[in-house]
Amino acid sequence: MNGTNVYNPAGDTLGSIDDIMIDKVSGRAIYAVMAFGGFLGMGEKFHPLPWETLKYDQTKGGYVVNLDKKVLEDAPNYDRDSEFLWTPDYGRKVDSYYKTPSHWG
């Protein structure tokens, strides 16, 4: 799963899956964390994408999201070197941005 490319509907590569967040109670994937931007790992940002936004495309061997780069540039994200701490409020912010149902009540 890690390293699987993420594409927009036009087939442009947006990034790749760096991690998956699993709900502890249900055991289901709720977010895919996509590495986006940067060059050779420098300036790379991580974007949590609600699992519902991803569709696997066997012909591409990767996930397709109906987003363009501009939407991702403005999306909730964090830097590789930051002391990031996931909170329910942050989860609600991500879900709200992508207009998906929230797992955080």
Side-chain angles (χ1 to χ4, degrees):
M1 173 60 83
N2 284 9
T4 302
N5 282 338
V6 178
Y7 303 94
N8 67 14
D12 301 321
T13 302
L14 298 174
S16 63
I17 301 296
D18 185 73
D19 201 0
I20 296 175
M21 295 180 64
I22 306 292
D23 178 65
K24 291 179 184 179
V25 176
S26 70
R28 294 182 15 203
I30 55 175
Y31 298 97
V33 180
M34 182 181 70
F36 174 72
F39 181 71
L40 300 175
M42 303 288 290
E44 190 172 53
K45 301 231 182 248
F46 294 98
H47 293 256
L49 300 173
W51 194 254
E52 295 86 4
T53 63
L54 299 162
K55 303 287 184 241
Y56 190 75
D57 184 326
Q58 290 183 341
T59 61
K60 289 182 173 57
Y63 291 95
V64 176
V65 294
N66 192 18
L67 305 169
D68 64 25
K69 289 182 181 182
K70 177 62 178 151
V71 170
L72 286 172
E73 288 169 357
D74 295 337
N77 66 79
Y78 56 94
D79 296 322
R80 174 179 297 280
D81 299 324
S82 70
E83 293 291 327
F84 178 74
L85 177 64
W86 187 276
T87 65
D89 283 342
Y90 188 81
R92 285 188 282 274
K93 177 180 174 182
V94 170
D95 296 335
S96 175
Y97 184 83
Y98 291 106
K99 297 177 177 65
T100 59
S102 184
H103 298 278
W104 305 98

